[in-house]
Amino acid sequence: MEVTPAERRAALFRVRADGLELRHMSEEIRSDREIVLEAVRTSGLALSHAADDLRADREVVLAAVLSNGLALASAPPALQGDREVVVAAVRSCGLALH
């Protein structure tokens, strides 16, 4: 199912207000890179609701951990071992490595 421009605009509006709204959205929306980036910038924890391919996207993960270091737990192992991602997560939240 294709997402209409009106649905995209509505989704962007919702995730800009609360990134965790992503959890209530369709798989197509959770696979939209622009929407997911907005969601994780608002709430890094929204990363756990993104499509798998976007959870493995370094730029998306970096944006998420900059917003909330605890989002590191939702990143795949390869990015959990990425020095820049880990440093950003710890700077955002000292508990990110626990």
Side-chain angles (χ1 to χ4, degrees):
M1 181 173 133
E2 191 171 320
V3 178
T4 68
E7 290 170 324
R8 283 190 90 251
R9 282 191 303 275
L12 281 167
F13 179 81
R14 287 174 60 194
V15 300
R16 284 178 180 144
D18 179 1
L20 290 174
E21 281 293 308
L22 190 64
R23 70 178 164 235
H24 302 295
M25 297 182 183
S26 69
E27 185 63 36
E28 291 81 15
I29 294 289
R30 290 183 286 132
S31 297
D32 184 299
R33 191 169 191 275
E34 179 185 3
I35 294 170
V36 169
L37 270 170
E38 287 294 327
V40 301
R41 286 178 181 140
T42 304
S43 173
L45 298 179
L47 182 64
S48 65
H49 303 292
D52 290 344
D53 62 319
L54 293 177
R55 287 181 41 220
D57 181 308
R58 189 174 187 278
E59 183 182 355
V60 171
V61 171
L62 195 53
V65 300
L66 285 169
S67 172
N68 186 328
L70 297 177
L72 185 63
S74 295
L79 289 174
Q80 287 180 3
D82 181 299
R83 179 176 171 77
E84 183 181 1
V85 171
V86 171
V87 168
V90 171
R91 284 188 177 150
S92 173
C93 176
L95 298 174
L97 294 180
H98 287 48

